[in-house]
Amino acid sequence: MTVLVKIAFDGTNYRGFQIQNDAVTVFGTFQQALLRILGHETQIKGCSRTDSGVHAKCFYLSFDTPKQLDLRRLPLALNGNLPPDIRTLEAVQVPDGFHARYDAKGKEYTYYILNSHIDSPFFSGYYYKVAAALDVESMQQAAKNFVGKWDFSAFMSKNSSVTDFVRTVSYADVKKDGDMIKFVVRADGFLYNMVRIMAGTLVSVGRGQIKAEDIPRIIQGRDRSAAGPTAPAQGLFLTDVFY
Amino acid sequence: MTVLVKIAFDGTNYRGFQIQNDAVTVFGTFQQALLRILGHETQIKGCSRTDSGVHAKCFYLSFDTPKQLDLRRLPLALNGNLPPDIRTLEAVQVPDGFHARYDAKGKEYTYYILNSHIDSPFFSGYYYKVAAALDVESMQQAAKNFVGKWDFSAFMSKNSSVTDFVRTVSYADVKKDGDMIKFVVRADGFLYNMVRIMAGTLVSVGRGQIKAEDIPRIIQGRDRSAAGPTAPAQGLFLTDVFY
């Protein structure tokens, strides 16, 4: 059977999702837990590569097994073999050959910015702190300009394997709740560091260093240096995956 | 000058707010930081006693000093002398003789219940986990029945000093956001463990063990054993104080 597992993780203590030599990753940690339960090795496919320190409220993994697993009990069994910062939320059977990454139709990321000069005593490690007062309305207007089918080269860190830079952003919005500013973006796919560069650019807009109405020109210019800085990983959460 | 300081703290590592022999408290920790800045001892008045493990997004302290402090700089100076789980948010001058506790007209508490059999990888220590499915609509109806001026003896743990058990609850509501159930209650004052017993009672209502319409009868009976259990401290946050 092919199984799709939904997990959530706090990325603070991991070097991202993917396998890396000599580094503790979410993937490696999950792989060990699954091996203990299945009793055999299997190729695990993750829905996304995530950077070191990035979090996920919703992340999917798929794998094949010749065994007939009781999928209602699998989350409990996995959680018993996982550290508290990785939790299995759900497991469902999917058609043979299903791939958590290639079958994903889109994803949603949420980036948290704490607009304060004082850190939160509660959510340390889950936001990017910006002390300078941010103009949230401008950030909101800027975010709207991300929506559409564009070549997002200007919002990508150098990365060897990708050759198609066109992505379709279906939703992008900025909301404020107290001191916390939340940037939510949905697309059919994301380039390397795309959300973090968008978030860094929105902070530049909020500080008045980039104008909201300049976003279309920055996209069209396809020049990374025209966009804002790459915001830190710790503010970034993968919050949904669409199949 | 008399100074009112607003702080927030994660109570996980503290034995409550009040001074206790041989235990690390929020009060003691704050007192040391303030002493380092003022250079003299002063009597600090807290807006509330809080139990071991209870958190505060908003907590006030008042004190007197003969010095003329720069109150815009005081939060930064205090935070430099405090651990990351206690943050000073603001400092303002108040009339001489102002008392953070006696001058408070009311308070708001928020109690967080995670209705899931799986813990969150992010907010560990900030909620009470209830695995059994809870009927949120019944909990909401039950909460409404707390509103009013009543003798809340049934919702109080034994405590020596208090003799007047009448409190006026001005607002009580239950909301759901995903798996998280949030109980918010405002009153002119709270009896010992009152919010935690209310929260425990609401969980009993959510599980069908107590009926929402029985709350008035439980209040009128003034019998602690008729209410639900005392919910754990870690789900409780002091979220506002009204002056």
Side-chain angles (χ1 to χ4, degrees):
Chain A
M1 66 198 298
T2 302
V3 179
L4 184 67
V5 171
K6 182 179 176 180
I7 66 172
F9 59 84
D10 175 346
T12 308
N13 298 318
Y14 298 97
R15 291 284 301 274
F17 177 75
Q18 291 283 87
I19 303 171
Q20 301 206 10
N21 293 334
D22 303 327
V24 180
T25 62
V26 176
F27 185 89
T29 308
F30 184 86
Q31 196 174 37
Q32 283 172 34
L34 188 62
L35 178 61
R36 250 170 269 142
I37 287 157
L38 293 182
H40 68 83
E41 302 218 341
T42 180
Q43 212 195 333
I44 302 169
K45 294 118 179 176
C47 65
S48 165
R49 288 174 288 186
T50 65
D51 288 345
S52 200
V54 172
H55 315 291
K57 292 191 179 180
C58 171
F59 191 101
Y60 288 94
L61 304 144
S62 58
F63 63 88
D64 289 313
T65 177
K67 299 202 172 178
Q68 282 303 311
L69 298 174
D70 179 348
L71 297 184
R72 282 173 314 168
R73 299 197 50 151
L74 184 61
L76 196 69
L78 281 166
N79 288 337
N81 287 282
L82 285 166
D85 53 6
I86 304 176
R87 294 289 85 187
T88 307
L89 306 177
E90 210 182 345
V92 292
Q93 187 168 4
V94 283
D96 286 353
F98 187 96
H99 192 295
R101 184 164 172 207
Y102 300 140
D103 283 320
K105 291 193 171 53
K107 294 191 191 83
E108 177 191 279
Y109 281 94
T110 303
Y111 196 94
Y112 292 89
I113 299 159
L114 184 71
N115 193 195
S116 168
H117 57 288
I118 303 161
D119 269 294
S120 159
F122 308 109
F123 307 118
S124 164
Y126 298 148
Y127 57 78
Y128 168 35
K129 186 180 76 172
V130 177
L134 297 175
D135 175 352
V136 177
E137 218 169 287
S138 295
M139 292 169 73
Q140 212 161 28
Q141 285 169 25
K144 300 282 179 205
N145 284 326
F146 290 138
V147 177
K149 187 178 180 179
W150 317 108
D151 178 321
F152 279 102
S153 308
F155 293 85
M156 182 189 75
S157 293
K158 286 266 181 301
N159 173 296
S160 54
S161 64
V162 179
T163 52
D164 177 12
F165 309 117
V166 177
R167 297 292 182 275
T168 303
V169 172
S170 54
Y171 178 91
D173 200 9
V174 171
K175 274 173 190 158
K176 194 171 188 204
D177 180 13
D179 286 343
M180 197 63 87
I181 297 170
K182 212 169 92 171
F183 165 49
V184 179
V185 59
R186 286 178 212 136
D188 58 350
F190 291 89
L191 300 168
Y192 186 50
N193 281 348
M194 182 166 154
V195 183
R196 290 170 56 186
I197 299 170
M198 284 175 156
T201 304
L202 290 177
V203 169
S204 296
V205 169
R207 300 183 67 166
Q209 297 161 331
I210 292 177
K211 287 197 178 107
E213 57 267 33
D214 286 345
I215 298 294
R217 191 187 49 74
I218 293 170
I219 294 172
Q220 281 148 34
R222 293 186 285 171
D223 172 11
R224 169 69 189 90
S225 67
T230 306
Q234 61 179 43
L236 185 60
F237 286 74
L238 176 59
T239 42
D240 214 345
V241 183
F242 310 109
Y243 288 108
Chain B
M1 67 197 296
T2 301
V3 179
L4 184 68
V5 171
K6 182 179 176 181
I7 67 170
F9 59 83
D10 175 345
T12 308
N13 298 318
Y14 298 96
R15 290 285 300 275
F17 176 75
Q18 292 282 86
I19 304 172
Q20 303 206 7
N21 292 334
D22 304 326
V24 179
T25 62
V26 175
F27 185 89
T29 308
F30 184 85
Q31 196 175 37
Q32 284 172 35
L34 188 62
L35 178 61
R36 250 170 269 142
I37 287 157
L38 293 183
H40 68 83
E41 300 221 340
T42 180
Q43 211 196 334
I44 302 169
K45 294 118 178 176
C47 66
S48 164
R49 287 174 289 185
T50 67
D51 288 345
S52 199
V54 172
H55 315 291
K57 293 192 177 176
C58 171
F59 191 101
Y60 288 95
L61 303 144
S62 59
F63 63 89
D64 289 312
T65 177
K67 299 202 171 179
Q68 281 303 313
L69 298 173
D70 179 347
L71 296 183
R72 281 173 315 169
R73 299 195 51 150
L74 183 62
L76 197 68
L78 280 166
N79 288 337
N81 286 284
L82 285 166
D85 52 7
I86 304 177
R87 294 289 87 187
T88 307
L89 307 176
E90 212 182 346
V92 293
Q93 187 169 5
V94 283
D96 286 353
F98 187 95
H99 192 295
R101 186 165 170 205
Y102 300 140
D103 284 320
K105 291 194 172 51
K107 296 193 189 81
E108 178 191 278
Y109 281 94
T110 305
Y111 195 95
Y112 291 90
I113 298 158
L114 183 72
N115 193 196
S116 167
H117 58 285
I118 303 160
D119 269 295
S120 159
F122 307 109
F123 307 118
S124 166
Y126 299 147
Y127 57 78
Y128 168 35
K129 185 180 77 174
V130 177
L134 296 175
D135 176 351
V136 177
E137 218 169 287
S138 295
M139 292 169 74
Q140 212 160 27
Q141 286 169 25
K144 300 284 180 204
N145 285 327
F146 290 138
V147 176
K149 187 178 180 180
W150 316 108
D151 179 321
F152 278 103
S153 307
F155 293 85
M156 182 188 74
S157 294
K158 287 265 182 300
N159 173 296
S160 54
S161 64
V162 179
T163 52
D164 176 13
F165 309 118
V166 176
R167 297 291 182 275
T168 302
V169 172
S170 55
Y171 179 91
D173 201 11
V174 171
K175 275 175 189 156
K176 196 173 183 196
D177 181 14
D179 286 342
M180 198 63 87
I181 297 170
K182 213 169 91 171
F183 166 51
V184 180
V185 58
R186 286 178 211 137
D188 58 351
F190 290 90
L191 300 168
Y192 187 50
N193 280 347
M194 181 165 153
V195 184
R196 288 169 58 186
I197 299 170
M198 284 174 156
T201 304
L202 290 176
V203 169
S204 296
V205 169
R207 298 183 69 165
Q209 296 161 334
I210 292 177
K211 286 195 179 109
E213 57 267 32
D214 285 345
I215 298 293
R217 191 186 49 75
I218 293 170
I219 294 172
Q220 282 147 33
R222 293 186 285 171
D223 172 13
R224 169 71 189 87
S225 69
T230 306
Q234 60 179 44
L236 185 61
F237 286 74
L238 177 59
T239 43
D240 214 346
V241 182
F242 309 109
Y243 288 107

